[in-house]
Amino acid sequence: MASRFSDRVGGFISLRLRGQYQEKIINLALARGIYIWDIKRDGEYLYLKVRNSGYEAFKAITEEHGFELEILKRDGLPFYRKILKRRIGLLGGAILFIAALYLVSSFVWFVEVSGNQKVDSTVIIASAARNGIYPGASKWSLSRIEAEEAMLRELSELSYVECDIKGVRANIKVVEKILPDTQVNGPCDIVAQRDGVVEDILVLNGRANVQKGAVVVKGDVLISGVFTPTPPMEGLPVDPNAITEPTLVRARGLVQARTWYEGYGEAKRVQEETVLTGEKYVRFVLKTPWRVVDVVGAGDVPFASYEQLERAWSGPGDWGWGWSEYREQEVKVTQFSENEAVEAARQNALANLKDSMEGNVKIMDSRLEVLSSPSDSIVRIKIFVEGLEDIGTPRAIEASEISS
Amino acid sequence: MDNKRELISKAMADFLEIPADVVLDLPKLTITGRNELYLENHKGIIEYSTSRMRVNLSRGYLEINGEGLEIQALMPDEMKVIGEIDSIRYLD
């Protein structure tokens, strides 16, 4: 069975046939391989459909046998062509639209960076631009893999770059290298980088200079890199090969110490916040050279306090339009109890403090002191935090230290 | 002669279990409900009107009686008839 779709593509003609012994025509058409369908008799007429390609042959048969043939309707794609010819502008516009859409979507318009913490986004974007990924770059000319590799070569701080181009958006995912701490090469001591009380000491190399419970201040040597061999015990024979001079080593180890931090935080007892009530008032006006016509909304704004959104257009002459939306606002007052305010201030202070803490500090204990009086509208607090952290940091041994 | 060949063909078809419509050019009818008839291996139309239709077969003809009969598709050896079918009869 022929498909309706192919009939439509090729085009078909609805016909009306008049004459005697119409079956003969049907059989002749059949014998000559002319495909006909939807054959229906109505009185002396026979209605049928024939493909565009078989029409001439069918017409020849009917003329040969003296039948009357009438075209009722032409249908299908070839006949739409005439309609399309009349509406060439529409067709051209549609094609132009699709072409423009295709053209515009084959460029990268947005470049985004994600995954970076220390490396500035602008540096990554600049590097991507040098390697072909920038707003306005054509997608067909850029090679993703080449750009990724070039960016990795350019930015030594990165260990991985992936350019994911989705539509007009290029998302550059990066993973930064975790660089080892600035290393001290050669002999060194481990010194305290801040004040504290030593809680635990683990020496991997060198000699412990402090013990558990010792109070240290910034700069104190915790693990010494100057290694003095113990003198041989009296009475024992002296080994002539024994090293008697102090040797220098690269001290290594962990020194956990209790440290103290002090922070400050504050919170308001009464908080005023402007919120939208959800009520709206819209006004739309048309500007003509003669007068301004209110289309939607006239008169004064029915709100005491509001936020205004405006959009307007002015065309040639005095023509134009203006649109404004007014959103009602109200002031929401939230009253906090003293405890709530203190807690908020404490969180605030802790958050501030955490920013200033370097490395991995474990908070062991915290204590706070309220500075403000209960009648103040702002609660101010001071927070004291006790932390546990590794306070050791390597410091190269200077020449003067060796001589002493 | 023809009769003899037909007999041999029939015997062969039976023996080899080949469908008879393929070997003997017999008509094959598929009727869906009473509104749709699909006929394969026809040999042309003898008579067509909305109430009666006669279709030539390799042997004899087929008469379809009904109302509003319409040939929805017509091809050299198959056809589809739609309409309210009352009876189908084989005639010689």
Side-chain angles (χ1 to χ4, degrees):
Chain A
M1 197 132 297
S3 75
R4 303 240 153 167
F5 179 72
S6 65
D7 293 343
R8 294 224 152 251
V9 171
F12 63 92
I13 303 167
S14 301
L15 298 170
R16 189 161 75 169
L17 194 69
R18 202 170 89 160
Q20 282 206 312
Y21 305 120
Q22 288 152 335
E23 290 86 352
K24 192 161 83 181
I25 293 295
I26 297 174
N27 286 329
L28 279 168
L30 210 55
R32 295 196 189 173
I34 302 165
Y35 172 56
I36 50 177
W37 73 96
D38 278 0
I39 304 158
K40 195 180 175 184
R41 169 162 259 164
D42 189 11
E44 59 176 340
Y45 292 108
L46 187 75
Y47 294 88
L48 53 91
K49 282 174 187 159
V50 63
R51 275 189 187 165
N52 214 15
S53 53
Y55 173 68
E56 284 304 321
F58 190 78
K59 196 177 160 193
I61 299 170
T62 53
E63 277 171 4
E64 209 176 298
H65 293 85
F67 280 84
E68 210 176 281
L69 191 67
E70 198 183 333
I71 294 174
L72 297 179
K73 196 184 165 198
R74 289 171 190 270
D75 216 340
L77 210 60
F79 306 110
Y80 295 145
R81 217 184 283 158
K82 277 185 195 163
I83 301 168
L84 284 177
K85 232 179 218 172
R86 276 207 306 272
R87 311 211 55 180
I88 192 81
L90 179 75
L91 189 70
I95 292 168
L96 205 69
F97 172 73
I98 292 166
L101 205 66
Y102 178 76
L103 193 74
V104 163
S105 67
S106 55
F107 290 96
V108 170
W109 292 117
F110 303 99
V111 179
E112 288 166 353
V113 179
S114 63
N116 58 321
Q117 282 162 350
K118 286 182 202 141
V119 186
D120 200 16
S121 292
T122 52
V123 175
I124 297 169
I125 288 170
S127 170
R130 276 194 296 278
N131 295 300
I133 301 174
Y134 50 90
S138 56
K139 280 201 278 188
W140 62 81
S141 68
L142 70 84
S143 162
R144 225 189 67 180
I145 295 162
E146 271 176 30
E148 284 170 4
E149 282 171 358
M151 280 174 75
L152 266 184
R153 278 196 301 274
E154 266 183 29
L155 304 169
S156 57
E157 305 96 316
L158 303 181
S159 67
Y160 176 75
V161 175
E162 185 194 313
C163 297
D164 190 11
I165 296 169
K166 269 193 188 137
V168 295
R169 203 172 283 272
N171 189 6
I172 303 170
K173 286 180 199 155
V174 300
V175 177
E176 289 172 358
K177 275 182 192 161
I178 298 170
L179 294 169
D181 295 334
T182 43
Q183 294 249 319
V184 176
N185 294 315
C188 68
D189 291 327
I190 298 290
V191 298
Q193 60 182 347
R194 58 182 301 126
D195 304 355
V197 175
V198 177
E199 190 70 15
D200 197 11
I201 181 159
L202 173 71
V203 181
L204 296 173
N205 202 4
R207 185 173 49 81
N209 223 19
V210 289
Q211 282 183 334
K212 188 183 169 185
V215 179
V216 292
V217 293
K218 190 179 177 179
D220 279 1
V221 176
L222 303 172
I223 302 171
S224 172
V226 184
F227 198 79
T228 321
T230 43
M233 283 164 82
E234 275 181 51
L236 286 174
V238 179
D239 184 358
N241 297 328
I243 303 160
T244 50
E245 288 298 305
T247 47
L248 296 180
V249 294
R250 193 177 163 276
R252 283 193 300 148
L254 287 172
V255 183
Q256 291 281 347
R258 280 182 188 274
T259 50
W260 286 270
Y261 291 88
E262 207 178 286
Y264 169 79
E266 57 182 42
K268 280 180 185 169
R269 289 284 300 274
V270 178
Q271 200 167 28
E272 286 185 4
E273 208 180 354
T274 312
V275 290
L276 297 173
T277 60
E279 291 294 317
K280 267 192 227 170
Y281 178 74
V282 176
R283 183 183 282 177
F284 185 81
V285 291
L286 266 183
K287 286 176 205 152
T288 63
W290 310 280
R291 56 174 293 205
V292 175
V293 185
D294 291 319
V295 181
V296 179
D300 294 330
V301 181
F303 311 131
S305 165
Y306 54 82
E307 183 188 271
Q308 192 177 357
L309 296 173
E310 243 178 312
R311 222 176 285 163
W313 175 80
S314 330
D318 285 333
W319 291 91
W321 54 261
W323 173 91
S324 332
E325 186 179 303
Y326 303 91
R327 294 177 179 178
E328 193 184 18
Q329 287 180 330
E330 65 178 15
V331 178
K332 200 174 151 192
V333 181
T334 321
Q335 185 101 28
F336 293 106
S337 74
E338 199 183 342
N339 285 344
E340 281 172 337
V342 167
E343 180 56 31
R346 196 180 80 90
Q347 294 296 343
N348 219 334
L350 269 180
N352 287 341
L353 210 53
K354 271 198 180 138
D355 289 342
S356 66
M357 284 176 180
E358 285 169 10
N360 189 14
V361 183
K362 193 176 167 195
I363 294 172
M364 303 298 283
D365 195 13
S366 69
R367 188 168 60 82
L368 60 86
E369 191 182 304
V370 180
L371 305 173
S372 54
S373 61
S375 58
D376 285 354
S377 65
I378 294 175
V379 173
R380 299 171 217 276
I381 63 140
K382 210 172 192 182
I383 192 163
F384 304 95
V385 170
E386 189 182 318
L388 190 66
E389 64 182 301
D390 181 11
I391 58 165
T393 185
R395 188 182 69 187
I397 298 171
E398 287 160 20
S400 59
E401 212 176 322
I402 305 164
S403 60
S404 67
Chain B
M1 183 72 189
D2 261 5
N3 212 2
K4 206 172 185 180
R5 183 186 270 174
E6 209 169 275
L7 273 172
I8 295 166
S9 296
K10 193 175 182 322
M12 286 292 288
D14 281 350
F15 182 69
L16 296 170
E17 293 184 16
I18 300 170
D21 62 309
V22 179
V23 180
L24 301 172
D25 203 18
L26 292 181
K28 186 179 173 186
L29 275 84
T30 311
I31 307 168
T32 313
R34 63 178 289 188
N35 300 90
E36 204 178 291
L37 186 143
Y38 186 71
L39 172 62
E40 284 170 74
N41 292 333
H42 71 82
K43 297 279 178 249
I45 291 162
I46 298 168
E47 187 195 336
Y48 165 64
S49 70
T50 50
S51 59
R52 192 162 77 133
M53 199 172 152
R54 284 191 292 166
V55 186
N56 198 14
L57 302 174
S58 54
R59 271 175 61 185
Y61 57 87
L62 188 75
E63 189 184 272
I64 304 161
N65 286 302
E67 276 172 55
L69 297 179
E70 205 175 301
I71 305 169
Q72 204 186 34
L74 185 64
M75 271 167 283
D77 52 5
E78 51 194 274
M79 64 188 287
K80 189 180 177 185
V81 178
I82 56 166
E84 189 97 347
I85 297 165
D86 291 336
S87 70
I88 299 163
R89 267 208 308 164
Y90 284 98
L91 295 162
D92 280 319

